[in-house]
Amino acid sequence: MRRAPQYLWDFSPLSVQLEKTAAAATKPKVFIDGEAGTTGLQIRDRLARLDDLQVRSIDADKRKDADARKAMMAEVDLVVLCLPDDAAREAVALADELGADAPRILDASTAHRVAPGWAYGFAELDKGQAAAIAKSKRVANPGCYPTGAIALLRPLIGAGLLPASFPVTINAVSGYSGGGKSMIEAYAAGTAPSFELYALGLEHKHIPELIHYTGLTQRPIFVPSVGNYMQGMLVSIPLHLDALPGKPCLRDLELALDAHYRGQPMVSVVPEPGASMARLEPEALNGSDKMELFVFGKAELRQAVLVARLDNLGKGAAGAAVQNMRLMLGLE
């Protein structure tokens, strides 16, 4: 028997069809320049779960074609740069050639984090930071390590509990996914060590960002490290409480952090963690875009360890990028 032809017709009322078409046309359009990299893929995966924006792409063989990228930039509302620093600067120059038709830009590289005219994409930095991101045409996504360190230090400096001139040491460990293509390949191949410190020349590229947004006036000692696991991060800062003015207690530090982040959906302060936790592992928030802050210590010893836990690919990269993107596009 001959089968009748099947047609994929939309038999809904014309008004409904028109509404669907209009809704699709009004969705903001986003182009991820560098979508094949680790951060780009993570952002793309998150955006695939959303239905209130459109993600535009160019053919894989034209990803380095300046004309093709510029043409795409002219068609979209926002461009996310997931590129090395020099390539990110070149991409911004390319967008600038479009003049009034240039899209808004969210840069996930280090290139513009302390540059004039760029908003810093840590929405919880201060009370008005989310609004500053929302209205800015150029936003720099924070680094993963600075996200944790700034989250811990800035509220305490703002509250007067930690002097801006205090000599701070920041220790941190991340999964190898934060180390770029060569590090990821080394760990995947089994040729990398189980654990290593790096940037021991104390010249890590995150230092300017750390100083600028914590409010520190004395250069901190920053010692990053990488473990043999894919993702997850701990940033820790030890403090001698009697060396601080006013000699605060552990609870004073915790209350200052809680006052700063209360009501924030992405950042939370874990109350009195020392009563229930003797250890802290870095992978607990993997797959999440949240960050947890802790104040560990022992009152009689007058010592504290501040800790931030986050997914370096979540709140430390792609999760923050999507949060900033939605602020910039006026989405819920």
Side-chain angles (χ1 to χ4, degrees):
M1 180 182 293
R2 186 175 179 180
R3 182 172 297 176
Q6 296 182 3
Y7 302 100
L8 297 177
W9 288 333
D10 186 348
F11 290 101
S12 56
L14 180 59
S15 59
V16 173
Q17 296 179 43
L18 292 174
E19 285 177 10
K20 290 179 180 178
T21 303
T26 57
K27 286 182 181 180
K29 295 180 286 294
V30 174
F31 167 48
I32 305 171
D33 195 356
E35 66 175 20
T38 302
T39 300
L41 290 171
Q42 288 279 327
I43 293 172
R44 184 75 192 237
D45 180 63
R46 282 164 168 79
L47 295 184
R49 306 171 204 164
L50 307 174
D51 62 1
D52 54 0
L53 49 76
Q54 303 175 54
V55 180
R56 303 289 300 276
S57 296
I58 56 178
D59 293 339
D61 60 348
K62 293 186 177 180
R63 284 177 182 160
K64 295 185 179 181
D65 184 316
D67 290 336
R69 291 163 62 215
K70 184 177 176 181
M72 178 60 74
M73 289 179 179
E75 296 178 8
V76 300
D77 301 289
L78 186 145
V79 174
V80 185
L81 304 179
C82 298
L83 303 166
D85 287 5
D86 287 344
R89 294 185 186 97
E90 292 170 3
V92 172
L94 202 62
D96 284 341
E97 293 176 9
L98 295 170
D101 295 325
R104 302 176 82 178
I105 295 178
L106 174 62
D107 184 10
S109 81
T110 313
H112 299 101
R113 289 179 185 161
V114 295
W118 287 74
Y120 190 58
F122 182 29
E124 299 83 5
L125 183 72
D126 280 321
K127 201 170 271 187
Q129 193 64 20
I133 293 167
K135 70 181 182 182
S136 180
K137 287 187 68 69
R138 303 284 166 91
V139 176
N141 216 49
C144 51
Y145 289 126
T147 295
I150 292 165
L152 292 167
L153 292 170
R154 189 178 177 97
L156 301 185
I157 292 173
L161 296 174
L162 186 76
S165 60
F166 196 77
V168 170
T169 297
I170 302 166
N171 303 299
V173 60
S174 172
Y176 58 78
S177 57
K181 183 178 179 181
S182 60
M183 182 177 286
I184 292 171
E185 289 176 346
Y187 276 93
T191 59
S194 297
F195 178 86
E196 61 182 338
L197 300 177
Y198 65 100
L200 291 175
L202 304 182
E203 293 285 348
H204 196 282
K205 65 180 182 178
H206 285 163
I207 293 288
E209 180 183 356
L210 282 167
I211 295 172
H212 193 81
Y213 295 106
T214 57
L216 288 170
T217 58
Q218 184 167 170
R219 182 187 179 91
I221 295 175
F222 173 47
V223 185
S225 60
V226 61
N228 194 356
Y229 63 97
M230 176 66 177
Q231 64 197 85
M233 172 174 286
L234 296 174
V235 179
S236 60
I237 301 170
L239 293 173
H240 288 276
L241 298 180
D242 287 340
L244 301 176
K247 299 184 177 181
C249 65
L250 297 170
R251 185 65 174 156
D252 293 329
L253 304 180
E254 186 180 294
L255 288 174
L257 292 173
D258 183 68
H260 187 94
Y261 296 108
R262 192 177 301 133
Q264 294 288 352
M266 299 295 184
V267 182
S268 61
V269 179
V270 178
E272 301 186 56
S276 58
M277 299 181 185
R279 299 181 180 185
L280 201 63
E281 55 91 9
E283 298 176 90
L285 294 180
N286 282 5
S288 162
D289 294 337
K290 296 182 181 295
M291 175 166 57
E292 295 175 331
L293 306 179
F294 306 82
V295 178
F296 289 99
K298 198 167 185 180
E300 52 267 39
L301 296 178
R302 302 293 299 149
Q303 294 174 326
V305 179
L306 312 176
V307 183
R309 175 162 63 182
L310 62 155
D311 182 350
N312 58 290
L313 297 181
K315 183 61 172 167
V322 174
Q323 182 183 9
N324 290 324
M325 193 184 313
R326 296 184 70 80
L327 285 169
M328 296 172 75
L329 295 172
L331 302 174
E332 289 288 335

